[in-house]
């Protein structure tokens, strides 16, 4: 049986050891035709040469600057030779048979544009991170996943169309990228994969959850204290996503809820904790949107 080439693209930033663990798991996959591309996003203190020294089959691309999540992946796209491109977080490990069901979906479904596997929190008792998505609520601007933090007991073992893919692992045909364009780089961190899903769907393609494929994500399941960088980009980009993807009354409602409820609540919380840098990050995120009103039209 013909197995089309799959290009696996992952972005590394100061985590060469973690990335090596991901590549080690990819060495165990049963799919016979793949290439692994790792884009180092100008790691400032960690030497990405470890990846190539340990796994010489990896194509290591060194960016001269930190291009963010989308920019790093886009750099990988330019070097990819596969019919299908899998965007995989470097802090993941994969089930050996995860690629076959993903590729089969696209081989059998011409209108499929993007798909994600079931994603399990690594090192947990099979706690689900992603089993499909209900999408971003246009009235509130908040996304809602399916199965989040539920124990996997097979309740989501049916593959379905879904509203959004998950950026930790998503497969896209090269022909779709050629038609729709690469990931929107103006986000830098967070929400870019959600926006890309909307771009792909607007072009007439469908988004899918593939239940027979499993990836394990090392992201913490506990809600920790956000970094200042995360506070800035999560809030800046939530408003940016709304502006690019929501219209009419829903746009007015979602922006009002965000500006009049979500932001004041977060500002009060940071103030009570004397987290002044986080408070400043909230303000900078709003100010960025005011300054960039003409750069945010959807593709």
């Amino acid at each position: 049986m013909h197995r089309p080439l799959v290009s696996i693209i992952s972005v590394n930033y100061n985590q060469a050891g973690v990335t090596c663990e991901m590549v080690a798991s990819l060495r165990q996959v049963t799919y016979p035709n793949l290439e692994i591309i790792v884009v180092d996003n100008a790691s400032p203190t960690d030497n990405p040469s470890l990846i190539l020294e340990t796994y010489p089959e990896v194509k290591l691309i060194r960016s001269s600057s930190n291009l963010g999540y989308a920019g790093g992946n886009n750099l990988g796209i330019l070097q990819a030779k596969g019919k299908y491109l899998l965007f995989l977080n470097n802090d993941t490990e994969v089930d050996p048979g995860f690629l076959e069901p993903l590729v089969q979906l696209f081989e059998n479904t011409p209108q499929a544009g993007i798909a994600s596997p079931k994603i399990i929190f690594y090192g947990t008792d099979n706690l689900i991170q992603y089993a499909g998505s209900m999408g971003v609520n246009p009235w509130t601007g908040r996304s809602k996943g399916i199965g989040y933090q539920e124990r996997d007991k097979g309740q989501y073992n049916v593959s379905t169309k879904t509203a959004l893919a998950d950026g930790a692992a998503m497969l896209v045909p090269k022909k779709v990228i050629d038609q729709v364009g690469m990931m929107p780089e103006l986000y830098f961190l967070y929400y870019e994969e959600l926006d890309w899903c909307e771009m792909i769907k607007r072009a007439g393609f469908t988004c899918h959850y593939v239940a027979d494929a499993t990836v394990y994500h090392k992201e913490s399941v506990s809600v920790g204290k956000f970094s200042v960088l995360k506070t800035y980009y999560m809030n800046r980009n939530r408003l940016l996503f709304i502006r690019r993807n929501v219209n009419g009354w829903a746009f007015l409602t979602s922006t009002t809820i965000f500006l009049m409820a979500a932001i004041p609540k977060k500002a009060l919380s940071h103030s009570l904790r004397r987290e002044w840098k986080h408070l400043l990050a909230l303000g900078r995120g709003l100010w960025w949107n005011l300054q960039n009103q003409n750069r945010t039209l959807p593709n």
Side-chain angles (χ1 to χ4, degrees):
M1 177 184 289
H2 172 65
R3 298 288 191 180
L5 178 64
V6 175
S7 299
I8 300 177
I9 301 172
S10 190
V11 176
N12 175 76
Y13 184 77
N14 261 11
Q15 291 184 320
V18 173
T19 301
C20 282
E21 293 171 358
M22 176 202 69
V23 179
S25 78
L26 290 173
R27 272 192 170 182
Q28 306 303 314
V29 301
T30 54
Y31 192 86
N33 193 16
L34 57 86
E35 64 174 355
I36 302 171
I37 299 171
V38 173
V39 180
D40 182 70
N41 241 346
S43 295
T45 59
D46 193 41
N47 186 3
S49 297
L50 172 67
I51 302 166
L52 198 57
E53 292 167 2
T54 310
Y55 301 102
E57 70 270 27
V58 170
K59 183 170 187 177
L60 180 64
I61 302 171
R62 297 172 186 257
S63 174
S64 59
S65 61
N66 186 351
L67 302 175
Y69 175 80
N73 278 304
N74 287 344
L75 201 58
I77 290 172
L78 296 175
Q79 299 295 322
K81 298 177 181 178
K83 179 180 180 180
Y84 301 110
L85 278 60
L86 176 74
F87 301 90
L88 187 66
N89 273 20
N90 74 315
D91 60 346
T92 59
E93 295 188 18
V94 303
D95 183 82
F98 87 113
L99 265 179
E100 284 88 346
L102 286 164
V103 172
Q104 184 178 14
L105 165 73
F106 289 99
E107 290 288 282
N108 296 337
T109 314
Q111 281 305 112
I114 188 168
S116 285
K118 180 186 292 181
I119 301 175
I120 301 293
F121 283 112
Y122 181 89
T124 67
D125 189 15
N126 271 354
L127 291 183
I128 296 170
Q129 177 178 347
Y130 173 90
S133 171
M134 296 177 69
V136 175
N137 187 322
W139 300 100
T140 65
R142 292 186 179 277
S143 61
K144 186 174 182 181
I146 296 172
Y148 183 71
Q149 291 199 3
E150 293 181 26
R151 185 169 296 160
D152 183 18
K153 299 179 180 178
Q155 68 270 43
Y156 301 110
N157 280 1
V158 177
S159 299
T160 62
K161 290 182 182 178
T162 195
L164 294 169
D166 190 285
M170 52 190 186
L171 190 71
V172 184
K174 182 61 163 58
K175 69 174 185 179
V176 172
I177 300 173
D178 290 340
Q179 178 176 334
V180 173
M182 296 191 291
M183 290 190 199
E185 295 187 14
L186 73 168
Y187 286 87
F188 193 77
L189 285 174
Y190 308 116
Y191 276 87
E192 59 273 276
E193 79 278 16
L194 306 184
D195 194 295
W196 204 32
C197 282
E198 296 296 347
M199 291 168 57
I200 290 169
K201 290 192 298 181
R202 280 196 294 271
F205 297 101
T206 51
C207 178
H208 296 257
Y209 159 64
V210 180
D212 296 333
T214 304
V215 166
Y216 301 91
H217 193 194
K218 297 174 182 177
E219 179 179 283
S220 173
V221 298
S222 60
V223 180
K225 183 178 179 181
F226 285 175
S227 70
V228 173
L229 190 71
K230 188 170 185 178
T231 296
Y232 170 69
Y233 280 113
M234 284 293 286
N235 290 283
R236 189 197 85 161
N237 291 346
R238 179 179 164 191
L239 182 55
L240 174 59
F241 179 89
I242 292 170
R243 292 172 58 202
R244 283 171 54 88
N245 295 284
V246 182
N247 299 301
W249 285 107
F251 172 78
L252 293 175
T253 302
S254 57
T255 51
T256 298
I257 290 172
F258 179 67
L259 295 173
M260 304 303 292
I263 287 294
K265 180 180 178 181
K266 291 174 183 177
L268 178 61
S269 175
H270 290 312
S271 297
L272 292 174
R273 295 191 182 102
R274 299 180 180 273
E275 296 171 341
W276 309 123
K277 290 183 179 179
H278 287 266
L279 192 62
L280 181 61
L282 285 178
R284 288 194 296 113
L286 294 176
W287 181 245
W288 184 93
N289 277 276
L290 289 173
Q291 286 185 309
N292 293 275
Q293 294 186 57
N294 296 324
R295 292 180 51 211
T296 59
L297 296 176
N299 293 29

